[in-house]
Amino acid sequence: MKQGSSNRKVNEQAREVIASILLFEISDPRLELVTVTGCEVSYDRSVCNVFYTTEPERYDDVAAAFQKAAGRIRSLMARKLSWRVAPELRFLLDQSVDQAERIASALAADAHRSAVAAPTDADVPADADAFASERVAEQQAEESARDGEDA
């Protein structure tokens, strides 16, 4: 969905307020070390999808804590914002962080496999500049040979 600048501002304002509430006003220990990665507020501001992330082993505990604290967070949010309605909060786990970690580990494993299968020092000339100049000379010789054939 395309977002206008005012919609982005509303989303960012909601994210900042919710993060502040979690940091300073909610005392549930299950909600410590939770990062609010983003919010999507509906056009009429009646619903707010809150995306969060935490350690994978804490997903169930954090989801239960958010379910329990949703009403309190909503009322605190209504006091801090000057919106006409307090949006219904839906807390959703942000999977993008986990996907990014999986991709990074796959790339690291691929780089390790490539390093193991890389040519040894005996396969590569000691002087890389000499190797490059030899390659350029070969290419120029091939081009001049082709030019001679064309004439």
Side-chain angles (χ1 to χ4, degrees):
M1 183 173 108
K2 184 176 178 183
Q3 288 187 344
S5 62
S6 62
N7 196 13
R8 277 193 297 271
K9 288 177 186 176
V10 167
N11 291 342
E12 184 61 22
Q13 184 181 21
R15 189 196 65 77
E16 288 177 2
V17 167
I18 292 172
S20 171
I21 289 169
L22 289 176
L23 190 60
F24 298 114
E25 299 183 36
I26 299 294
S27 61
D28 192 336
R30 297 176 295 179
L31 293 177
E32 291 177 359
L33 300 175
V34 172
T35 303
V36 177
T37 57
C39 287
E40 289 180 357
V41 181
S42 65
Y43 181 73
D44 62 355
R45 297 183 185 178
S46 63
V47 177
C48 178
N49 292 331
V50 181
F51 296 95
Y52 68 91
T53 187
T54 188
E55 294 90 18
E57 60 273 0
R58 297 183 54 217
Y59 286 164
D60 294 333
D61 289 339
V62 171
F66 271 130
Q67 186 71 25
K68 184 177 178 187
R72 176 80 174 136
I73 295 170
R74 182 180 182 186
S75 67
L76 291 170
M77 185 177 174
R79 286 188 203 148
K80 291 186 177 204
L81 295 173
S82 61
W83 297 353
R84 183 177 294 190
V85 294
E88 172 192 345
L89 299 176
R90 297 178 186 161
F91 294 97
L92 306 168
L93 181 62
D94 189 355
Q95 299 285 336
S96 65
V97 175
D98 295 333
Q99 291 172 349
E101 287 180 12
R102 281 195 297 274
I103 291 170
S105 64
L107 289 173
D110 187 48
H112 178 69
R113 279 193 302 270
S114 296
V116 169
T120 61
D121 289 339
D123 297 337
V124 178
D127 187 7
D129 290 333
F131 178 74
S133 61
E134 288 175 17
R135 183 70 182 133
V136 169
E138 290 173 6
Q139 288 175 347
Q140 289 174 347
E142 290 173 7
E143 288 177 10
S144 64
R146 269 188 262 137
D147 291 340
E149 290 174 3
D150 292 338

